[in-house]
């Protein structure tokens, strides 16, 4: 096979595809030749101490790679394991900023289970170049910015620690003055700014004597630029704050209001990472919101600026394209079963900006439904929408149930998930279930369990078999009309009494039930909202009451082989996701582990960089353990809970729920 042309000094990283001989996802290679069938012949570079010497490579599809410059390849080669390289590429703004780091640039790095600000001092070549084709790794020597409580030691300075590109979580270039003060001190004021030398070592530049106070010490003289001074902020806005030492931190506004001792508007910000002397959402002994410890910062609203990482200078808006997003597909294609992410690692892998599915052009109905780990760029989402076989899915707004039906029926060719029996006679199949009932049949703030029970009995429905997955649509119509202002998602659904031809126990005595009474469902004296079935004796006794003489109990199909006093198992399904809609935009709450607090919030269009024509959406995943705390309350506590007093995630869950998704752990093993 002849090559089209030779490739010199061209590098790439494998982003997707099945592992081939020599190449796997995250591997870095050098192009030797581009073949006619869209493949690359390349040499593979290892990591660690063997990073310099290329190994024998092989063939890889060009569409499964992303091109790199030599400098980018050297930076990524020092990152291990290879999966962390793909995670870094999923944050293109950060990676591109790391690639142009210069001497004296301020960075924040991961250090000893925390985050530490420091200054880039040297860019270090790692390894020994023995042959012309060797590729040395690149790392950063970082000098930590000194804490104000520490004194400068007279001892010989210790060697500076070495960090990889994946250790850097934030970049504040030394020349950046747009949204904050220049980083200055008396020692570096007169130095000419120059690129960091790419050598094995540099002369020690000495201690700078810089001191960092707490991030809470915000410079009162620092105000946002004039062009941003009239920016309007809301809860959920992405902002940045610069301290009097020049350190910039980023976060999301979780609370706005007036504190007791202040008359001006203040903001409570949940920061991207922990900072000394920040709280978990409390201020002055009072709680305003809930987050991880060390991440809540309270300050005057006037000290906030829009997050500069997602602002586009006017001169760049014309050239900004969505293709600036690195086309990384961090999910490996494999024919083998892939275990789920361990719960202990989920937050570090999933939470952050540019995580999940990137929304684009009315795609939120699909993004929220298909939410997955890693990062899926808008281009890939659009290609997928084109494969659904209907042009309207590419351009128009859709509802999740439309997409689910098309996906499962036409694309995956799956049988319907639900097999229903109508009035003990007709069978029906469906992929999702729509709640249908009268508003007066349940309480003002019903649970999903109450809605499902009432809807099934009102419509004369039963499950013919236990479904492996049950997607329940809430009683709302269109984008605005909601039958109930709040709905409580039941963390577990008991479908035992909704199964056809399945043994059930008497509601009163616990023996084998033989009758079911739909009219008893809302009886105030018999636990309203619970399905009522009785044995023959209890059925007679209950319906001797004058108020129940007009009831019409229905005989159940009881398996003959079941003893009347045999213990009967309950069939439960667990909640694993909730889709919500507000102002025509879908978002999702997703369970990522078995723990009751293991909940994530995903928005495929949480923010935007650039304008409507040349920009792109920024997806975001946030941890929301407060959702689990709320749903873990007892049924009595939930009934009396005031949703208006709950935090924003909980309020959104209760007010905007559109579809609740449940799974059966036992049946999922077979279907």
């Amino acid at each position: 096979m002849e090559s089209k042309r030779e490739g010199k000094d061209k590098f790439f990283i494998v982003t997707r595809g099945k592992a081939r001989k020599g190449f796997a996802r995250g591997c870095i290679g050098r192009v030797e030749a581009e073949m006619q069938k869209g493949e690359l012949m390349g040499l593979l570079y290892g990591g660690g101490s063997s990073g310099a010497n290329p190994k024998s490579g092989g063939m890889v599809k060009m569409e499964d790679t992303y091109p790199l410059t030599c400098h980018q390849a050297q930076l990524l080669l020092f990152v291990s394991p290879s999966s962390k390289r793909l995670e870094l590429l999923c944050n293109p703004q950060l990676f591109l900023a790391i690639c142009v780091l210069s001497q004296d640039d301020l960075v924040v790095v991961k250090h000893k289970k925390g985050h530490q600000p420091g200054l880039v001092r040297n860019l270090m070549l790692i390894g020994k170049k023995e042959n012309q084709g060797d590729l040395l790794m690149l790392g950063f020597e970082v000098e930590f910015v000194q804490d104000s409580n520490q004194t400068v030691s007279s001892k010989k300075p210790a060697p500076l620690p070495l960090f990889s590109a994946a250790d850097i979580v934030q970049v504040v270039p030394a020349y950046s003055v747009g949204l904050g003060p220049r980083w200055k001190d008396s020692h570096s004021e007169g130095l000419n700014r120059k690129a960091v030398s790419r050598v094995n070592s540099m002369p020690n530049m000495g201690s700078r004597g810089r001191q960092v106070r707490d991030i809470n010490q915000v410079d009162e003289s620092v105000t946002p630029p004039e062009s941003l001074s009239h920016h309007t902020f809301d809860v959920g806005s992405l902002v940045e704050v610069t301290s009097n030492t020049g350190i910039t931190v980023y976060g999301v506004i979780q609370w706005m209001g007036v504190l007791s001792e202040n008359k001006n508007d203040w903001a409570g910000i949940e920061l991207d990472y922990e900072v000394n002397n920040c709280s978990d959402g409390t201020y002055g002994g009072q709680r305003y919101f809930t987050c991880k410890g060390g991440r809540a910062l309270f300050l005057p609203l006037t000290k906030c600026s829009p997050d500069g990482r997602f602002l586009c200078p006017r001169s760049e808006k014309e050239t900004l394209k969505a293709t600036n997003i690195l086309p990384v597909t961090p999910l490996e294609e494999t024919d083998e079963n892939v275990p789920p992410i361990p719960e202990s690692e989920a937050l570090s892998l999933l939470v952050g900006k540019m995580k999940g599915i990137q929304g684009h052009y009315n795609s939120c109905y699909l993004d929220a439904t298909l939410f997955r780990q890693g990062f899926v760029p808008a281009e890939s989402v659009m290609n997928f929408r084109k494969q659904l076989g209907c042009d309207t899915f590419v351009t128009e707004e859709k509802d999740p149930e439309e997409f689910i039906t098309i996906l499962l029926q036409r694309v995956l060719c799956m049988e319907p998930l639900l097999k229903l029996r109508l009035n003990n006679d007709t069978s029906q199949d469906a992929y999702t279930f729509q709640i249908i009932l009268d508003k007066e049949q349940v309480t003002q703030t019903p649970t999903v369990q109450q809605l499902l029970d009432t809807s099934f009995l009102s419509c004369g429905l039963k499950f013919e078999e236990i479904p492996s997955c049950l997607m329940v649509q809430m009683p709302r119509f269109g984008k605005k009309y909601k039958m109930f202002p709040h709905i409580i998602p039941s963390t577990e659904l008991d479908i035992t009494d909704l199964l056809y031809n399945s043994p059930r126990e008497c509601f009163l005595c616990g023996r084998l039930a033989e009758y079911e009474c739909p009219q008893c469902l809302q009886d105030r004296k018999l636990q309203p909202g619970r399905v009522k079935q009785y044995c023959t004796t209890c059925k007679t006794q209950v319906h001797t009451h004058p108020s129940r003489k007009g009831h019409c109990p229905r005989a159940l199909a009881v398996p003959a082989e079941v003893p009347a006093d045999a213990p009967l198992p309950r069939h439960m399904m667990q909640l694993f996701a909730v889709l919500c809609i507000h102002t025509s935009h879908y978002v999702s709450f997703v369970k990522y582990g078995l723990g009751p607090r293991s909940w994530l919030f995903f928005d495929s269009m949480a923010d935007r960089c650039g304008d409507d024509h040349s920009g792109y959406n920024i997806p975001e995943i946030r941890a929301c353990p407060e959702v689990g705390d709320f749903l873990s309350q007892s049924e009595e506590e939930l009934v009396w809970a005031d949703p208006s007093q709950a935090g924003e995630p909980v309020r959104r869950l209760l007010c905007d729920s559109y579809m609740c998704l449940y799974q059966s752990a036992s049946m999922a093993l077979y279907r």
Side-chain angles (χ1 to χ4, degrees):
M1 182 183 297
E2 297 181 357
S3 63
K4 295 167 60 176
R5 60 184 177 84
E6 294 298 320
K8 295 183 179 179
D9 297 325
K10 292 186 177 181
F11 301 88
F12 63 88
I13 182 171
V14 180
T15 60
R16 61 184 181 185
K18 297 180 181 179
R20 293 192 173 194
K21 182 179 180 181
F23 287 106
R25 295 177 69 255
C27 289
I28 294 173
R30 186 182 72 205
V31 178
E32 291 296 295
E34 296 182 13
M35 314 309 290
Q36 292 179 344
K37 294 186 177 181
E39 293 187 319
L40 296 177
M41 178 183 293
L43 292 178
L44 170 69
Y45 288 95
S49 59
S50 62
N53 303 315
K55 301 178 181 179
S56 59
M59 305 293 294
V60 62
K61 291 182 179 179
M62 193 178 301
E63 63 183 22
D64 292 339
T65 67
Y66 182 77
L68 300 172
T69 65
C70 180
H71 182 62
Q72 291 172 337
Q74 289 178 285
L75 288 173
L76 290 174
L77 199 57
F78 189 42
V79 175
S80 64
S82 58
S83 59
K84 287 189 175 294
R85 300 170 184 167
L86 298 178
E87 290 178 28
L88 180 57
L89 287 178
C90 286
N91 192 337
Q93 288 84 6
L94 177 61
F95 179 61
L96 294 177
I98 292 173
C99 291
V100 295
L101 276 174
S102 297
Q103 195 175 54
D104 291 341
D105 278 351
L106 177 65
V107 295
V108 179
V109 296
K110 300 175 187 176
H111 182 63
K112 294 182 179 180
K113 298 183 179 180
H115 295 86
Q116 180 75 31
L119 296 171
V120 173
R121 289 309 185 203
N122 299 300
L123 185 60
M124 304 295 291
L125 285 169
I126 303 165
K128 185 177 181 181
K129 192 169 185 177
E130 300 176 348
N131 303 305
Q132 185 176 0
D134 292 350
L135 185 67
L136 300 185
M137 298 178 289
L138 283 177
F140 297 93
E141 274 191 342
V142 175
E143 178 185 350
F144 292 141
V145 178
Q146 196 172 9
D147 189 274
S148 59
N149 296 324
Q150 296 179 350
T151 57
V152 179
S153 174
S154 59
K155 297 181 180 180
K156 183 178 179 180
L160 296 178
L162 192 63
F163 295 92
S164 73
D167 296 322
I168 299 174
V169 298
Q170 182 182 331
V171 172
V172 184
Y175 56 82
S176 176
V177 296
L179 295 175
R182 185 187 299 270
W183 184 275
K184 302 177 180 179
D185 66 23
S186 58
H187 296 276
S188 62
E189 192 80 9
L191 291 177
N192 293 325
R193 185 179 178 278
K194 59 183 179 180
V196 179
S197 301
R198 294 176 176 82
V199 294
N200 287 322
S201 62
M202 290 184 67
N204 183 19
M205 302 182 70
S207 173
R208 296 294 176 186
R210 286 187 177 85
Q211 296 183 347
V212 173
R213 303 183 185 92
D214 300 57
I215 195 64
N216 289 297
Q217 298 176 347
V218 178
D219 191 347
E220 296 297 326
S221 65
V222 177
T223 57
E226 184 177 354
S227 60
L228 301 176
S229 59
H230 300 293
H231 190 91
T232 301
F233 295 109
D234 298 301
V235 172
S237 294
L238 300 176
V239 296
E240 65 179 43
V241 179
T242 302
S243 73
N244 55 3
T245 59
I247 294 179
T248 301
V249 292
Y250 302 90
V252 179
I253 294 180
Q254 299 286 23
W255 172 86
M256 292 173 60
V258 178
L259 298 176
S260 57
E261 70 273 20
N262 298 283
K263 295 183 179 180
N264 298 324
D265 290 335
W266 275 51
I269 303 172
E270 181 178 356
L271 302 175
D272 286 355
Y273 50 84
E274 296 179 13
V275 174
N276 290 339
N277 293 332
C278 286
S279 72
D280 62 350
T282 59
Y283 184 86
Q286 183 174 347
R287 179 167 299 282
Y288 293 91
F289 65 94
T290 302
C291 67
K292 287 187 177 181
R295 293 196 180 192
L297 173 64
F298 291 85
L299 76 171
L301 190 60
T302 56
K303 301 303 174 185
C304 298
S305 300
D307 193 329
R309 296 172 297 179
F310 307 122
L311 288 178
C312 301
R314 192 169 300 174
S315 60
E316 295 179 5
K317 285 187 177 180
E318 297 299 323
T319 58
L320 181 62
K321 302 294 182 183
T323 52
N324 288 340
I325 300 298
L326 304 181
V328 177
T329 305
L331 292 174
E332 184 172 2
E333 299 174 15
T334 176
D335 293 331
E336 301 178 357
N337 292 328
V338 179
I341 299 174
E343 188 169 352
S344 59
E345 303 176 13
L347 291 181
S348 61
L349 293 175
L350 300 179
V351 173
K353 298 180 179 68
M354 278 308 197
K355 294 294 183 70
I357 302 176
Q358 185 182 30
H360 177 62
Y361 204 65
N362 296 330
S363 70
C364 62
Y365 71 90
L366 178 149
D367 307 328
T369 306
L370 280 185
F371 163 66
R372 57 197 289 187
Q373 72 175 90
F375 173 71
V376 182
E379 180 183 0
S380 298
V381 177
M382 180 57 74
N383 289 336
F384 174 68
R385 293 167 73 181
K386 293 177 180 177
Q387 303 301 315
L388 294 177
C390 181
D391 293 340
T392 58
F393 277 91
V394 178
T395 58
E396 298 179 7
E397 293 183 2
K398 294 289 183 179
D399 293 324
E401 64 271 20
E402 296 180 75
F403 165 65
I404 289 172
T405 301
I406 289 291
L407 175 65
L408 300 185
Q409 185 179 50
R410 298 186 184 180
V411 178
L412 300 179
C413 300
M414 289 179 57
E415 293 185 1
L417 298 172
L418 308 180
K419 297 185 182 301
L420 305 173
R421 178 64 66 100
L422 176 61
N423 295 323
N424 296 331
D425 184 18
T426 309
S427 294
Q428 297 179 346
D429 294 338
Y431 290 96
T432 62
F433 180 76
Q434 171 69 64
I435 296 289
I436 300 176
L437 45 65
D438 293 329
K439 187 175 182 179
E440 295 74 20
Q441 290 181 280
V442 293
T443 59
Q444 185 176 2
T445 305
T447 65
V448 174
Q449 179 77 65
Q450 293 171 342
L451 293 175
L452 187 68
D453 288 348
T454 305
S455 183
F456 261 59
L457 263 68
S458 300
C459 300
L461 292 172
K462 286 289 186 289
F463 289 114
E464 287 193 348
E465 58 186 25
I466 301 173
S468 59
C469 179
L470 173 59
M471 293 175 272
V472 186
Q473 296 171 237
M474 299 300 102
R476 57 184 303 162
F477 308 97
K479 303 297 188 294
K480 296 181 179 180
Y481 174 75
K482 297 186 294 185
M483 183 174 288
F484 303 98
H486 305 99
I487 295 176
I488 300 174
S490 305
T491 55
E492 279 194 323
L493 276 186
D494 188 342
I495 64 169
T496 308
D497 299 331
L498 303 180
L499 292 172
Y500 174 74
N501 199 26
S502 178
R504 297 152 60 182
E505 64 180 25
C506 175
F507 174 72
L508 295 178
C509 69
R511 293 173 62 84
L512 186 65
E514 300 174 80
Y515 295 88
E516 178 182 72
C517 183
Q519 290 82 9
C520 285
L521 180 68
Q522 296 303 323
D523 195 310
R524 295 180 179 273
K525 298 179 180 179
L526 294 172
Q527 294 189 23
R530 292 283 303 275
V531 177
K532 312 299 191 308
Q533 60 278 329
Y534 309 98
C535 64
T536 301
T537 302
C538 291
K539 185 263 298 186
T540 302
Q541 293 177 346
V542 166
H543 290 90
T544 57
H545 193 282
S547 65
R548 305 189 191 104
K549 288 186 176 181
H551 291 192
C552 300
R554 299 183 301 210
L556 296 174
V558 181
E561 67 276 7
V562 180
D565 55 353
L568 302 175
R570 308 299 298 183
H571 301 287
M572 314 297 291
M573 302 191 74
Q574 289 73 41
L575 178 71
F576 70 90
V578 180
L579 302 186
C580 296
I581 184 173
H582 181 67
T583 60
S584 299
H585 178 60
Y586 289 98
V587 296
S588 59
F589 291 87
V590 180
K591 199 98 168 14
Y592 67 86
L594 298 177
R597 308 180 82 238
S598 302
W599 283 92
L600 296 173
F601 172 76
F602 167 60
D603 187 348
S604 64
M605 303 178 184
D607 204 351
R608 186 168 180 84
C609 182
D611 55 32
D612 292 339
H613 300 288
S614 59
Y616 55 87
N617 291 310
I618 299 170
E620 182 180 15
I621 301 172
R622 289 185 294 173
C624 47
E626 60 270 34
V627 167
D629 292 338
F630 182 86
L631 295 179
S632 297
Q633 299 179 92
S634 66
E635 187 172 330
E636 292 75 16
E637 291 173 320
L638 289 173
V639 169
W640 293 104
D642 185 358
S644 64
Q645 299 300 316
E648 176 64 18
V650 174
R651 187 204 62 78
R652 196 165 187 178
L653 178 75
L654 301 182
C655 296
D656 302 335
S657 58
Y658 182 88
M659 179 182 289
C660 294
L661 289 78
Y662 292 85
Q663 63 181 352
S664 169
S666 58
M667 299 309 298
L669 299 175
Y670 307 102
R671 300 175 187 167

